[in-house]
Amino acid sequence: MKLKLLPVALWALCVPMAAHAETTFVAEKTVVTDWKAVYGSVEAKDTIPARARLGGTLVELSVSEGDQVQSGQVLGQIVDEKIAFQLGAIDAQLESLTAQLTNAQAELARAEALLDRGVTTKQRLDALQTQVDVVMGQIEAQKAQRRVIEQQSAEGQVLAPISGRVLAVPVAKGAVVMAGESVATVGGGGFFLTLAVPERHAASLVEGNKITIETRDGDRDGTLAKVYPQIENGRVVADVDVPDLDAAFVNARVLVRLPMGAREAVEIPAAMIRSHSGLDFVLVQDGAETFERAVVPGERRMVEGVEMIEVLSGLTGGETVVAHEH
């Protein structure tokens, strides 16, 4: 079968017809959400300092900022040199009391032998028995005191209060620390985005609302997990739960968009607006007539893959907008 070429005149008539093909769009009112951009910071749910339980010299420090630790893990060792002297003094007293006990028990044994022969009295025997009991009690008291000092020495270990990441280590090896002083700060219990929003927007913060977080890998969704009732410096504090939140940097600032309310707006495809002479125009079809109308465009957003633009004035909704010819 042979193809026939169209005459040049017929081809010329087809071109204007294709050029006048029109695309229309009915500008209906839709409900849009107003978003407010605020900065949130990545924070740990629990931030607990690992404190020294004993005053002394920090002779060992096994962690640094960024390390992962488990609850109860030894982070450092504090030594108080006075404890060794106290233990030595108690050991010397125990040796002295042990010698006294040996002598008292020997005298008690002789007195019992003499009492059997009727040489001594019962009162003398009771006095010696009391002396043995007193020395034994002193020995037990010194042993208890030694256990107390041994426990103080064991408290020289600085333990991680929770499992998590070491956020700060304010001291260095060899430093002298006091009892109760922080050796390291551990953050754990999960990580959240903490927001501080002006109190005029407090009514729009509802737990469970979905929000948008801008990250290096694109936008992500999060959930408003908790709104704190106490207002600080005119701002409402809230926590946002984000699955698999990047917690490589704690207190890192992240841009968050919060829903501040909903309203009606007229939106049309952005491609239907043409700008010239510093103004923006759209083609409006009214019956068989088509005319240009000046409009004031607003924000743009993507709707199902199409870039839509809000018309602030010039359209009230219900108009048929015609795409401009190219």
Side-chain angles (χ1 to χ4, degrees):
M1 177 180 180
K2 295 184 179 180
L3 295 176
K4 295 182 178 180
L5 296 178
L6 290 174
V8 176
L10 182 58
W11 175 259
L13 291 175
C14 293
V15 174
M17 293 175 62
H20 285 83
E22 297 178 346
T23 301
T24 61
F25 179 85
V26 178
E28 298 289 351
K29 288 186 177 181
T30 58
V31 178
V32 297
T33 302
D34 287 329
W35 299 84
K36 179 176 179 60
V38 298
Y39 276 99
S41 59
V42 180
E43 295 184 6
K45 181 179 180 181
D46 301 317
T47 303
I48 304 177
R51 299 187 182 277
R53 298 175 293 171
L54 176 71
T57 304
L58 185 64
V59 298
E60 182 180 347
L61 185 62
S62 58
V63 295
S64 61
E65 291 86 348
D67 290 348
Q68 292 285 344
V69 296
Q70 299 298 320
S71 177
Q73 179 179 335
V74 178
L75 308 183
Q77 180 70 44
I78 299 172
V79 173
D80 185 358
E81 296 179 353
K82 298 189 299 294
I83 291 180
F85 296 115
Q86 292 174 354
L87 290 175
I90 290 178
D91 290 339
Q93 292 178 2
L94 283 174
E95 291 179 2
S96 175
L97 290 172
T98 301
Q100 293 180 28
L101 178 61
T102 301
N103 184 48
Q105 289 175 338
E107 290 187 4
L108 179 60
R110 286 194 296 270
E112 289 176 347
L114 292 174
L115 182 62
D116 292 339
R117 295 197 297 264
V119 177
T120 188
T121 61
K122 177 65 173 165
Q123 290 80 1
R124 173 62 179 171
L125 183 64
D126 292 341
L128 292 174
Q129 181 64 53
T130 301
Q131 184 178 356
V132 170
D133 294 340
V134 169
V135 175
M136 292 180 65
Q138 291 176 345
I139 291 175
E140 292 300 323
Q142 290 298 322
K143 288 181 177 180
Q145 182 64 26
R146 195 181 198 285
R147 288 193 293 269
V148 171
I149 297 177
E150 288 175 347
Q151 178 62 31
Q152 290 179 351
S153 178
E155 290 179 353
Q157 291 183 337
V158 181
L159 306 178
I162 57 174
S163 298
R165 175 173 297 175
V166 178
L167 304 181
V169 181
V171 296
K173 181 179 178 180
V176 176
V177 296
M178 304 295 292
E181 185 176 349
S182 176
V183 175
T185 302
V186 182
F191 289 87
F192 289 82
L193 277 178
T194 299
L195 310 177
V197 183
E199 60 180 310
R200 65 178 179 273
H201 300 304
S204 61
L205 297 178
V206 180
E207 294 183 4
N209 279 357
K210 298 296 181 181
I211 67 171
T212 303
I213 301 98
E214 293 187 8
T215 65
R216 292 173 295 180
D217 301 327
D219 292 350
R220 298 184 58 184
D221 292 331
T223 305
L224 200 61
K226 185 176 182 63
V227 179
Y228 293 91
Q230 183 176 357
I231 296 178
E232 300 178 0
N233 299 324
R235 293 182 175 272
V236 180
V237 180
D239 287 339
V240 179
D241 185 13
V242 183
D244 300 325
L245 177 65
D246 184 8
F249 297 98
V250 179
N251 289 333
R253 300 183 68 192
V254 180
L255 186 61
V256 179
R257 294 197 299 270
L258 295 175
M260 292 289 107
R263 58 183 175 81
E264 288 187 341
V266 177
E267 291 183 318
I268 64 173
M272 289 188 164
I273 295 181
R274 185 176 63 178
S275 300
H276 59 83
S277 302
L279 298 175
D280 297 301
F281 296 90
V282 295
L283 283 177
V284 178
Q285 182 179 359
D286 185 6
E289 298 182 358
T290 301
F291 55 90
E292 280 190 332
R293 181 180 296 179
V295 296
V296 177
E299 295 183 355
R300 298 170 181 257
R301 67 188 185 104
M302 298 299 295
V303 179
E304 297 181 356
V306 178
E307 184 181 18
M308 304 293 288
I309 189 168
E310 179 183 353
V311 178
L312 301 179
S313 66
L315 298 177
T316 59
E319 295 92 345
T320 299
V321 181
V322 182
H324 284 87
E325 299 177 359
H326 297 285

